[in-house]
């Protein structure tokens, strides 16, 4: 899944990227350290990929939607305690920066900010 997510991001295929994020959002929270060894590594790589999208400049509708999807996915993944180290190490700095920029831009939508604060609160 992380390879497909990375490939979609690299090629600019936002539909496939969104589809991979949706799968990750619903499957990732159930990955355990006692499962197959590649599962946890794949989810951790996907966290890094989703986090990198938060750093992409631009605020057009498509970019904003992708960033919000990434935040929603990261929120779902934060419910898995096995992923907290990966999230805090790889995603937290970008989440904080994204929420800060989102709040400073005066955006009327606060859902991404609330999600980001929820992730940080985990």
């Amino acid at each position: 899944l992380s390879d497909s997510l990375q490939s979609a991001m690299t090629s600019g295929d936002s539909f496939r990227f969104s589809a991979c994020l949706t799968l990750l959002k619903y499957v990732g929270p159930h990955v355990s350290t006692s499962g197959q060894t590649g599962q946890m590594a794949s989810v951790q790589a996907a966290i890094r990929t989703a986090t990198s999208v938060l750093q992409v400049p631009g605020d057009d509708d498509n970019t904003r939607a992708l960033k919000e999807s990434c935040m929603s996915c990261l929120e779902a993944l934060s419910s898995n305690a096995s992923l907290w180290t990966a999230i805090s190490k790889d995603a937290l700095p970008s989440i904080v920066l994204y929420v800060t920029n989102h709040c400073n831009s005066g955006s009327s939508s606060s859902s991404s900010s609330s999600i980001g604060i929820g992730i940080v609160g985990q």
Side-chain angles (χ1 to χ4, degrees):
L1 186 58
S2 65
D3 291 340
S4 295
L5 188 68
Q6 178 68 37
S7 173
M9 185 184 79
T10 303
S11 67
D13 187 345
S14 59
F15 178 78
R16 193 166 50 120
F17 186 84
S18 294
C20 289
L21 272 181
T22 301
L23 285 171
L24 183 63
K25 179 179 177 177
Y26 292 105
V27 174
H30 305 288
V31 172
S32 72
T33 54
S34 63
Q36 296 177 350
T37 55
Q39 289 178 349
M40 187 60 71
S42 179
V43 173
Q44 290 169 338
I47 288 170
R48 286 189 294 275
T49 301
T51 299
S52 69
V53 171
L54 298 177
Q55 301 169 4
V56 172
D59 201 28
D60 60 88
D61 289 343
N62 188 42
T63 304
R64 190 176 318 116
L66 286 175
K67 288 179 180 182
E68 288 176 4
S69 293
C70 289
M71 290 293 287
S72 179
C73 180
L74 290 167
E75 178 186 35
L77 294 174
S78 72
S79 68
N80 184 337
S82 299
L83 298 172
W84 287 353
T85 300
I87 290 171
S88 65
K89 179 180 151 205
D90 298 323
L92 202 54
S94 295
I95 291 169
V96 170
L97 184 61
Y98 174 77
V99 170
T100 302
N101 290 338
H102 190 74
C103 290
N104 289 341
S105 70
S107 173
S108 60
S109 169
S110 64
S111 64
S112 290
S113 298
S114 298
I115 289 171
I117 292 168
I119 296 169
V120 172
Q122 283 282 354

